[in-house]
Amino acid sequence: MRSITLIKFFYLPFILMFFFIIGMALSIYNVFNKGYESELAAWKTLLHEQQKITHLTSLLDLRNQLKLNLGDMLVGEPSQKDINAKFNQLPALRQQIVEQSSNLERLAASGAEIMLLHKHREALEDGLAKQFFFQSLIQDFGLQNDAVEYFNTEVRPAQDFADSLLSNYFQLVTERVKVLQQHYAHDHGQTKQQFNRGMLVAVLALLLLVGLVTWFVGRVRKKFEQHTTSLEKEVRARTLDLERSKNQAAQSVMELKSVLDSAPDGIFQVDRYGKIHSANLACESVFGYKQDELIGQSIFMLVSEQLTAFHKRKLRNFTIKDQEKVLQMGAGGRVQGRHKSGRTFALRIALGKIDSQSFSGFTLIVRDIDKFVKLDLENKNQKALLDTLWHANNQFMINKNIVEVADYLLGKLLKITRSQYGFIGEVLFDEKNNPYLKTHAVTSILSDKSLHVIDAQEVDHVNELRALDTLLGEGLKNKSIIISNDSANHNRAPGLPESPPSLDAFIAIPVFHGTKLVGFYGLANKPGGYSSEDVKFLTPFTQSYGVIIQFKRMQSEQARLNDELILKISETERANQAKSEFLSSMSHELRTPLNAVLGYTQLLMTSKQLTEMQADSLNEISVAGKHLLSLINDVLDLAKIEAGQVNLVMEKLDLAKLLKECEGSVLPMATEKQISLKFNTAEALSVIGDRVRLKQVILNLLSNAVKYNNEAGQVEVVVKSDGNLIKISILDTGVGIAEDKREKLFQPFNRLGYEGSAVEGTGIGLSITKNLMELMGGNIEYFARPSGGSNFTISLMADAGQSVLSDKNPDLSSLSGSHSKPESEIKRVLYVEDNPSNLKLMQAIFEHFPSIEFVHATTPSTSLKLAESGRFDLILLDINLPEMNGYELAEQLKNMPHLKHTLYFAVTANVFVSDRKKADSSGFNEFVSKPIDIAGFTALLDKYELI
């Protein structure tokens, strides 16, 4: 029993120890199991954060590519092909940026991450709209300068804002990685400590009960060793996994650092007091300091000293409200930076807050915008210069005052170039061809004698600078640009005053129009002096001012020529007016008696009771009268042609019909001289011309061919088609024209040696013919016939169609009583004429028309009384009447209600184009010229159904 009890007693502690050891083993297993699960969870979390860093790295790389593509549009002068190629890459980049942003949003775990990525997505949408507008400025409108300004003011700030949000997001992820690493290290240490404590307790228990468990150790040793080996392998495997995760996290951090180092902008991490904790490689190129030189230094050593206190306050007072946006340091986001070399330049600094357990401070993104600021200033100056030139040109076009324009230009130029003094003027040359400057605007300092730049006395008195021993004189002589940034030591500027105002820098630029020196202007005391870049910048100004000077000279020359032209025109107009008045007066005075002579001759020739001698006498009177009328018409035609008063009615004309009419007109003359006429008009041809004037041309050539022909000679008319031209040749068998007189063939009043011959003529017919042909778009040529005689050929444009003209040519047989009408249809005609012979002639004409009641008056007042007494179907008015002229009388007659629909004919010896136009404008239905062609007048009466 004791043995049994002893065994029980022996087994009881063993059993207790066994359970104790089992409990300890379970506890150790639970510790390892929990540690493993905790480490696995930490690994998954680290893997999740690694994915964020991977997407963030890809997103930053894509954004850098987008910036580079957009920035390339602002560098140099890319071709349209390069611009299109660059812009064609942008949609794919933007799509990838949006996809990576969406990936980051899906991986976001905390509210802060979601908020930052939400802001980043809004920034992307805002930046995308601005990028599209920037792209349109370049690609659609070609506005490079406007695109640069819009890029700097809108697109780049939007990109910087989005980048700063990603920077904040990166800091947030980095902090989370650090926290996870700390948690991982903490959990791993606790697990190891618990394991060590458990092992120590187990060893102590085993040592205390070694005697009790000696035999048990042997039995379980193998299993325990196996279990321990398994646990050690698992621990090593888990430790290796954790090390691998740690290395991957470190690799991600290194990759992110590489991305930051490859960024074009400088990126700093500073604490709340401005101490630099990290800086990427771009900071070296921006400020000239090495990275190790920047670490531990104050960020304020890199900005202007005047703004240091302000920026320190900004950092100290950075609030949560500021953290919600990207804060830009400096006015308008610009700060004066300080390079290691000491020079200052323009910076843009974006400020973002970092607030984590391990670090509290700020991220500063720094960009060197000095070249963009200079480019912006240059663009503004260029725009200001172009606006100035535009306003100056407008001002000159309106005022035509070059002095006012020069004064305006000089004032604007001083402001744009930041110069203190200047002058501007025009270069002239004296009688010895020495150049001198006539100043249009000048500041007082340059005319100081002690400065010896230009001669002050000349400026004060006549504004002409003739001294050539000055700075300006040197440029005038050499036609060269003068740049002197050390004017005090210039060999042309002795005796400069020691006290202000002083001439520190000077530039003088010649102004050319083509290769001719036309002007000069100069500027002085620009801060930093002048260079060839100023000359290049001022090129549009130089060229525009040269154009203004040349235009002013052209205006002066044009004004002089205009004055001379006006004087000559005035003299010509007075001469033409005198000639027109003389011709009009002579025409009226000659036609008035001819009206009676030819009118009565026409009436008498209709009588059947004439003897042969009377008929022959009347025929001679008619021929002589018509010849006199022809002479008058020729003189008037020549005057009208010279005055440009010939009105043509261009139409299709049936050439065969027209030539037939001309043949009938010239046949009596040819028969009298026994000249045979032959017309070759087999083809049915049409031409474009004025019917009356073409008939006049052909009749003139035919009558000349008959007059200057030999007895029993021949006149032949040949019509030929030559492409688009119709040529009419009139050939005669006369003596022709001597070769030495042919050059004077078409001169007016030149009869070519026939002045004393029996052949009648004035010598102006061919001149009129040539002018009329040219007015109709044709021409006339003369050819000597080999067999003797002349060949006059006229050419006109052909027309494929046929003329549809028909002429009504009533003869004197219409003056009969065959048109008599019943008493109820009798027409009433009133004729107002102060010349008795003309009145009798018209009365004699109307005696042949029993159906017309003829009433006459010799004064306008009498005619008005007659018109009040009843209606009239036709009123014939002479234009030259006493008391009032025919136009004024017609106006009063038309005011009578019962005469509103009456016909009005103007009957006058004034036959100029101006007289016909005045009659038309005064409301006359027809214009009847004196001497009256009774047949034509009868046709007019028939036209209006009066007979």
Side-chain angles (χ1 to χ4, degrees):
M1 288 294 295
R2 288 187 63 186
S3 167
I4 294 173
T5 301
L6 181 60
I7 292 172
K8 290 181 179 180
F9 177 76
F10 175 79
Y11 275 101
L12 181 60
F14 174 80
I15 293 171
L16 293 176
M17 183 58 64
F18 175 81
F19 284 108
F20 175 75
I21 292 172
I22 293 298
M24 288 297 297
L26 290 175
S27 297
I28 292 172
Y29 175 80
N30 288 334
V31 168
F32 273 100
N33 190 44
K34 288 180 180 179
Y36 175 78
E37 290 177 353
S38 176
E39 289 170 2
L40 183 61
W43 164 247
K44 290 181 179 179
T45 304
L46 284 173
L47 183 61
H48 185 77
E49 297 303 317
Q50 172 63 28
Q51 291 178 346
K52 293 180 183 178
I53 292 174
T54 301
H55 289 307
L56 178 60
T57 302
S58 177
L59 180 59
L60 288 172
D61 182 61
L62 291 171
R63 288 193 58 81
N64 283 332
Q65 292 183 37
L66 180 62
K67 286 182 181 179
L68 290 174
N69 283 359
L70 292 176
D72 287 345
M73 297 299 102
L74 308 177
V75 178
E77 296 180 358
S79 64
Q80 189 64 39
K81 180 178 179 181
D82 293 336
I83 290 175
N84 293 337
K86 289 291 182 181
F87 281 136
N88 290 337
Q89 297 174 5
L90 295 182
L93 283 174
R94 295 190 184 108
Q95 180 63 32
Q96 293 177 24
I97 289 172
V98 170
E99 290 176 359
Q100 292 298 338
S101 300
S102 300
N103 291 336
L104 284 177
E105 289 181 6
R106 286 195 299 271
L107 295 174
S110 64
E113 291 180 16
I114 294 172
M115 181 183 70
L116 282 174
L117 292 176
H118 178 71
K119 288 182 179 180
H120 178 256
R121 186 174 65 256
E122 291 179 344
L124 282 180
E125 294 172 354
D126 179 57
L128 181 62
K130 293 177 179 178
Q131 289 171 25
F132 282 150
F133 183 73
F134 165 75
Q135 180 176 345
S136 178
L137 286 175
I138 294 178
Q139 194 171 23
D140 298 334
F141 300 101
L143 301 177
Q144 187 75 14
N145 293 337
D146 293 343
V148 170
E149 183 178 357
Y150 186 82
F151 183 85
N152 292 329
T153 58
E154 297 293 336
V155 177
R156 189 178 289 279
Q159 291 179 330
D160 292 342
F161 176 68
D163 290 343
S164 66
L165 291 173
L166 290 178
S167 177
N168 292 340
Y169 180 78
F170 168 73
Q171 294 296 335
L172 194 62
V173 172
T174 303
E175 291 301 323
R176 181 170 177 82
V177 169
K178 289 181 180 179
V179 171
L180 290 173
Q181 289 176 339
Q182 291 174 356
H183 288 171
Y184 172 78
H186 180 263
D187 292 341
H188 181 70
Q190 283 188 335
T191 301
K192 194 171 183 179
Q193 288 176 2
Q194 290 178 358
F195 172 74
N196 292 334
R197 284 196 296 268
M199 290 298 293
L200 181 60
V201 172
V203 170
L204 291 174
L206 289 173
L207 290 175
L208 292 174
L209 299 174
V210 65
L212 294 175
V213 297
T214 300
W215 64 274
F216 179 74
V217 172
R219 295 183 62 182
V220 299
R221 181 177 179 182
K222 186 175 181 180
K223 292 184 178 181
F224 182 76
E225 287 178 352
Q226 292 175 350
H227 182 67
T228 302
T229 301
S230 177
L231 286 177
E232 287 177 351
K233 288 181 179 180
E234 186 176 354
V235 169
R236 281 197 300 270
R238 293 182 181 179
T239 302
L240 184 61
D241 290 340
L242 290 176
E243 289 294 334
R244 187 181 295 111
S245 298
K246 182 178 179 181
N247 291 335
Q248 288 178 348
Q251 180 65 28
S252 298
V253 172
M254 291 299 294
E255 290 176 357
L256 183 58
K257 185 177 184 302
S258 175
V259 170
L260 294 177
D261 284 340
S262 64
D265 298 331
I267 302 176
F268 291 97
Q269 281 189 352
V270 300
D271 59 22
R272 298 187 64 87
Y273 302 100
K275 183 179 179 180
I276 300 173
H277 284 252
S278 68
N280 68 345
L281 287 176
C283 297
E284 294 184 3
S285 61
V286 174
F287 295 99
Y289 293 98
K290 297 294 183 181
Q291 284 179 297
D292 55 357
E293 292 179 308
L294 294 171
I295 304 302
Q297 301 297 323
S298 174
I299 192 66
F300 301 110
M301 76 174 189
L302 304 177
V303 296
S304 175
E305 295 179 357
Q306 294 86 342
L307 299 175
T308 299
F310 172 78
H311 295 319
K312 286 182 177 179
R313 276 198 313 275
K314 274 289 185 182
L315 293 181
R316 286 198 302 268
N317 300 329
F318 195 87
T319 63
I320 295 176
K321 185 177 181 181
D322 294 326
Q323 192 172 357
E324 294 175 354
K325 60 182 180 180
V326 176
L327 183 66
Q328 293 187 341
M329 299 177 67
R334 293 182 181 178
V335 176
Q336 279 294 321
R338 286 190 294 173
H339 195 268
K340 184 178 181 180
S341 62
R343 69 176 178 88
T344 59
F345 57 97
L347 286 177
R348 175 163 288 154
I349 300 180
L351 182 66
K353 182 73 179 297
I354 302 174
D355 199 357
S356 64
Q357 294 180 355
S358 59
F359 183 78
S360 179
F362 303 91
T363 296
L364 302 181
I365 300 177
V366 179
R367 175 171 295 157
D368 182 354
I369 61 171
D370 196 56
K371 65 178 181 180
F372 296 108
V373 171
K374 290 179 179 177
L375 181 61
D376 183 54
L377 179 60
E378 182 180 342
N379 290 337
K380 288 180 179 178
N381 287 339
Q382 195 73 44
K383 183 178 183 300
L385 183 64
L386 295 178
D387 288 343
T388 297
L389 294 175
W390 184 81
H391 287 296
N393 286 329
N394 286 344
Q395 183 180 347
F396 181 72
M397 290 299 175
I398 295 171
N399 300 332
K400 306 295 189 297
N401 190 328
I402 195 170
V403 175
E404 290 183 6
V405 172
D407 187 62
Y408 168 79
L409 285 173
L410 181 60
K412 290 292 186 179
L413 195 58
L414 292 175
K415 183 177 180 181
I416 292 171
T417 61
R418 297 180 297 142
S419 299
Q420 287 182 288
Y421 313 111
F423 71 88
I424 187 169
E426 180 179 357
V427 173
L428 303 173
F429 294 85
D430 60 18
E431 62 279 358
K432 296 182 180 180
N433 203 33
N434 290 324
Y436 66 92
L437 181 69
K438 181 178 181 181
T439 60
H440 295 314
V442 60
T443 52
S444 60
I445 177 65
L446 292 178
S447 61
D448 193 304
K449 284 187 176 181
S450 60
L451 294 178
H452 214 114
V453 176
I454 57 179
D455 193 299
Q457 185 175 0
E458 291 180 345
V459 172
D460 294 338
H461 289 84
V462 295
N463 294 337
E464 293 182 359
L465 312 176
R466 297 177 180 266
L468 299 180
D469 57 346
T470 63
L471 281 174
L472 175 60
E474 183 179 338
L476 285 172
K477 288 189 295 184
N478 300 326
K479 299 182 181 180
S480 60
I481 299 169
I482 298 175
I483 299 177
S484 175
N485 291 323
D486 187 13
S487 299
N489 297 320
H490 196 278
N491 59 356
R492 292 289 183 183
L496 290 174
E498 296 180 359
S499 60
S502 62
L503 192 65
D504 302 320
F506 178 75
I507 186 172
I509 300 176
V511 178
F512 292 90
H513 186 269
T515 59
K516 184 179 180 182
L517 179 65
V518 295
F520 235 102
Y521 65 96
L523 303 169
N525 287 14
K526 173 188 174 184
Y530 300 94
S531 67
S532 58
E533 291 297 320
D534 294 289
V535 178
K536 181 179 178 182
F537 169 74
L538 293 171
T539 297
F541 178 89
T542 306
Q543 294 173 346
S544 295
Y545 186 55
V547 171
I548 290 174
I549 292 175
Q550 185 64 20
F551 188 70
K552 173 249 185 186
R553 293 181 178 179
M554 291 174 61
Q555 280 185 325
S556 300
E557 180 64 17
Q558 186 65 42
R560 185 186 66 79
L561 293 175
N562 286 343
D563 291 340
E564 293 179 0
L565 182 60
I566 290 171
L567 181 61
K568 290 181 180 179
I569 290 174
S570 178
E571 293 174 353
T572 303
E573 287 179 348
R574 284 197 297 270
N576 287 336
Q577 182 65 25
K579 183 174 72 173
S580 297
E581 290 176 358
F582 171 77
L583 290 173
S584 178
S585 175
M586 290 303 297
S587 171
H588 184 271
E589 295 301 321
L590 291 172
R591 284 175 177 272
T592 297
L594 272 177
N595 184 48
V597 173
L598 292 177
Y600 282 114
T601 300
Q602 293 176 75
L603 288 175
L604 290 173
M605 290 178 72
T606 61
S607 175
K608 297 180 179 180
Q609 300 176 359
L610 295 175
T611 65
E612 183 178 350
M613 182 179 178
Q614 288 172 336
D616 186 60
S617 299
L618 286 174
N619 184 60
E620 290 295 331
I621 294 171
S622 177
V623 170
K626 288 179 179 179
H627 177 63
L628 181 58
L629 181 60
S630 175
L631 294 178
I632 295 171
N633 288 337
D634 284 347
V635 172
L636 292 179
D637 275 345
L638 184 62
K640 287 188 285 185
I641 290 172
E642 290 178 350
Q645 297 177 343
V646 177
N647 292 326
L648 300 178
V649 180
M650 302 297 289
E651 56 190 343
K652 290 192 301 182
L653 301 175
D654 185 339
L655 194 55
K657 183 178 180 180
L658 188 66
L659 289 174
K660 190 68 175 176
E661 293 175 7
C662 293
E663 182 181 10
S665 298
V666 81
L667 184 59
M669 182 190 301
T671 303
E672 183 182 352
K673 289 195 66 176
Q674 298 181 352
I675 304 295
S676 64
L677 299 177
K678 182 180 180 181
F679 282 76
N680 257 330
T681 55
E683 292 185 65
L685 300 174
S686 296
V687 296
I688 301 297
D690 181 280
R691 185 181 185 281
V692 174
R693 294 303 182 179
L694 181 56
K695 186 175 180 180
Q696 179 182 349
V697 166
I698 296 173
L699 284 174
N700 183 59
L701 294 176
L702 285 172
S703 63
N704 283 347
V706 171
K707 285 194 299 182
Y708 296 99
N709 212 326
N710 295 318
E711 290 290 336
Q714 184 180 11
V715 174
E716 183 180 4
V717 178
V718 179
V719 180
K720 292 182 179 180
S721 176
D722 186 7
N724 293 329
L725 294 177
I726 300 295
K727 293 188 175 183
I728 307 170
S729 297
I730 298 175
L731 302 90
D732 64 61
T733 57
V735 296
I737 298 171
E739 187 173 351
D740 60 339
K741 297 184 183 298
R742 290 175 189 172
E743 61 180 14
K744 301 177 181 179
L745 183 60
F746 297 105
Q747 289 182 356
F749 303 106
N750 192 331
R751 296 198 63 198
L752 306 177
Y754 283 88
E755 290 82 356
S757 68
V759 181
E760 297 177 342
T762 61
I764 60 176
L766 285 178
S767 176
I768 292 173
T769 297
K770 183 176 187 298
N771 285 308
L772 289 176
M773 287 304 302
E774 290 176 351
L775 288 173
M776 288 187 289
N779 71 327
I780 180 170
E781 298 176 283
Y782 170 77
F783 305 98
R785 301 185 68 185
S787 59
S790 300
N791 174 4
F792 285 91
T793 299
I794 59 175
S795 302
L796 280 172
M797 291 295 297
D799 187 271
Q802 296 298 317
S803 174
V804 294
L805 299 178
S806 63
D807 296 313
K808 190 171 183 179
N809 295 315
D811 55 26
L812 293 179
S813 64
S814 63
L815 297 176
S816 66
S818 61
H819 293 78
S820 61
K821 297 182 180 180
E823 186 72 23
S824 60
E825 297 182 13
I826 290 179
K827 305 293 183 179
R828 300 190 74 213
V829 175
L830 172 62
Y831 181 39
V832 185
E833 172 65 74
D834 63 327
N835 186 287
S837 62
N838 290 336
L839 181 58
K840 288 181 181 179
L841 174 62
M842 189 65 74
Q843 192 170 6
I845 293 172
F846 276 98
E847 285 178 355
H848 291 78
F849 306 116
S851 62
I852 294 179
E853 179 185 349
F854 183 78
V855 180
H856 69 273
T858 58
T859 63
S861 57
T862 305
S863 67
L864 290 171
K865 291 179 181 178
L866 289 171
E868 290 176 354
S869 63
R871 72 167 178 84
F872 287 95
D873 298 285
L874 171 64
I875 297 178
L876 303 168
L877 295 178
D878 184 34
I879 298 302
N880 294 325
L881 291 170
E883 301 176 5
M884 66 180 74
N885 61 42
Y887 303 122
E888 296 169 339
L889 179 58
E891 186 176 355
Q892 292 195 25
L893 290 170
K894 289 180 181 179
N895 288 332
M896 298 181 181
H898 62 285
L899 297 180
K900 282 186 177 180
H901 301 292
T902 299
L903 297 170
Y904 291 86
F905 288 5
V907 184
T908 179
N910 299 328
V911 293
F912 283 94
V913 174
S914 58
D915 298 310
R916 292 179 180 272
K917 288 183 177 179
K918 191 170 183 180
D920 291 339
S921 63
S922 298
F924 282 93
N925 299 94
E926 296 291 345
F927 186 91
V928 181
S929 63
K930 298 177 183 177
I932 296 176
D933 179 6
I934 297 177
F937 181 67
T938 304
L940 287 178
L941 297 177
D942 189 38
K943 172 183 176 182
Y944 290 100
E945 299 181 351
L946 295 172
I947 56 175

